[in-house]
Amino acid sequence: MTVQSRMIRTARIQTHVLERPATGKAVRRVLLVHGNVSSGAFFRDVLEALPDDIHAAAPDLRGYGESEAAPVDAARGLRDWSDDLAALLDALGWADADLLGWSLGGGVVMGLAVDHPGRVRSLTLVAPISPFGFGGTRGPDGTPNSPDFAGSGGGTVNAAFVAAVAAGDRSDAPGSPRDVLRKFYLNPEKFQPTPEQEEVWLSSMLTTRTGDDHYPGDFVPSEHWPNVAPGTRGVANAFSPKYTDLSAFADLQPPPPVLWVRGDADAIVGDASLFDLAQLGALGAVPGWPGAETCPPQPMLEQLRALLERSGANGGESREVVLSGVGHSPFLEAPEAFLAAFTEHLQKERRT
């Protein structure tokens, strides 16, 4: 079936969806949830490659793609997005679904499982953010480095990059959206997109709404390094550990089965992320770093792995697949290996 584009009015917002209906009766319904500075357009190839008996949809989250640019209330953590998805399931007439979440979307689908557990059959987490958000924490349990969660939130985002997104910059200048796509969304040493692919993905990135209510959000000054702390509005504050704590996922009885797929060359999500100011401070790229005892880099992989181990004690099942030479976008960089792991996960869940 051909991928279709349609706008759906839910009980919450106007949501744009790329949809690939099943051929004949659908035996599974799959929702694919994108990450930050992107949209559902990144999933078009996945939609086309899924087995014919799967009905799949890739929505644009609020503030991205063609969906409504409703503001993000960061004090709710990821719930504006996860509640939007629950409303979308209602509008689609789906009682439940298998959910895939990439990067920020990984946190969103975990949050949906916490708040609406009966609607989630399985989770596939693709290069997901930590269950304790992004930046400003230490240890497997997400202990904050400072009481105001300094080092996370809207003030930690590169302002020049945000301005370039807002301006629709299509250049290949250092730090431009195209440059970030090439160097960080993908591992340039192993994967170069076709010109056509790059233009589609860049166009998707440039749909991101910017400002205090969107990306990156507001911030407040802090007495703790790097002297900025989360505000209450917008994207980067919503996934700050001040407002995002998904540790309750491990307490679900039982948690849904989880497939975790990541690349070993991911520079965005990892235990030494180049987007974590503490890691940049340790490398000398951000001045004034107080040292590892006060402000260690966030162990993002360790934190998720510890949570999944906890969920195992409650009957949860998880599998971690690490793809060699792959960066932040396994489904783009290694589509055959990714699709094999993903479809195996869905087929295994189908038999249980």
Side-chain angles (χ1 to χ4, degrees):
M1 294 287 287
T2 303
V3 174
Q4 304 169 359
S5 170
R6 65 173 173 137
M7 198 71 72
I8 299 175
R9 166 59 66 181
T10 76
R12 289 176 55 81
I13 65 167
Q14 189 87 350
T15 301
H16 175 257
V17 174
L18 290 178
E19 187 174 14
R20 205 294 308 272
T23 300
K25 182 179 180 181
V27 299
R28 272 292 177 272
R29 296 169 295 273
V30 174
L31 204 64
L32 310 173
V33 183
H34 66 84
N36 191 21
V37 193
S38 64
S39 74
F42 271 78
F43 288 124
R44 180 175 285 273
D45 290 345
V46 177
L47 288 169
E48 293 177 344
L50 285 172
D52 291 342
D53 60 0
I54 290 176
H55 185 175
D60 297 338
L61 296 174
R62 67 166 60 197
Y64 300 92
E66 298 178 42
S67 286
E68 183 178 339
V72 176
D73 180 356
R76 302 189 72 233
L78 306 177
R79 285 185 171 90
D80 273 353
W81 293 305
S82 61
D83 286 350
D84 289 346
L85 292 181
L88 177 61
L89 292 177
D90 290 340
L92 289 168
W94 294 6
D96 55 27
D98 296 281
L99 301 184
L100 179 152
W102 170 43
S103 195
L104 168 61
V108 173
V109 298
M110 288 186 73
L112 180 62
V114 170
D115 291 340
H116 307 276
R119 311 205 69 170
V120 179
R121 297 184 64 93
S122 74
L123 288 181
T124 298
L125 306 176
V126 185
I129 62 171
S130 162
F132 304 106
F134 200 98
T137 65
R138 67 177 73 200
D141 60 351
T143 301
N145 292 335
S146 62
D148 61 358
F149 297 88
S152 69
T156 67
V157 177
N158 186 308
F161 175 73
V162 176
V165 171
D169 181 0
R170 304 189 75 92
S171 76
D172 58 0
S176 67
R178 188 185 300 273
D179 187 55
V180 170
L181 171 66
R182 291 173 174 175
K183 293 179 179 177
F184 297 106
Y185 282 40
L186 313 165
N187 177 13
E189 295 183 5
K190 296 287 186 178
F191 179 81
Q192 287 79 40
T194 67
E196 293 78 13
Q197 287 175 322
E198 185 171 285
E199 292 307 314
V200 168
W201 299 337
L202 176 62
S203 295
S204 170
M205 294 172 69
L206 296 178
T207 65
T208 303
R209 281 37 160 236
T210 60
D212 286 351
D213 283 325
H214 303 292
Y215 175 70
D218 62 349
F219 64 91
V220 297
S222 172
E223 62 180 338
H224 305 283
W225 188 89
N227 307 117
V228 290
T232 60
R233 301 155 60 195
V235 171
N237 296 311
F239 62 72
S240 160
K242 182 173 183 179
Y243 305 114
T244 289
D245 179 352
L246 299 171
S247 56
F249 179 82
D251 300 323
L252 296 175
Q253 298 284 345
V258 174
L259 171 66
W260 174 16
V261 184
R262 64 181 182 87
D264 65 0
D266 190 344
I268 296 178
V269 172
D271 289 346
S273 167
L274 294 178
F275 286 66
D276 178 6
L277 288 191
Q279 175 65 17
L280 294 176
L283 295 174
V286 178
W289 182 58
E293 183 175 345
T294 300
C295 192
Q298 182 183 7
M300 302 177 190
L301 305 180
E302 178 188 10
Q303 289 173 348
L304 178 55
R305 194 171 292 118
L307 182 71
L308 294 178
E309 290 174 356
R310 280 184 49 216
S311 77
N314 287 326
E317 297 182 7
S318 63
R319 176 188 176 207
E320 180 179 353
V321 174
V322 183
L323 300 178
S324 177
V326 169
H328 190 57
S329 308
F331 57 97
L332 303 179
E333 300 169 76
E336 293 182 1
F338 170 79
L339 193 64
F342 183 39
T343 54
E344 179 185 356
H345 177 61
L346 295 177
Q347 290 165 356
K348 179 180 178 181
E349 197 279 325
R350 187 181 307 164
R351 293 192 297 266
T352 59

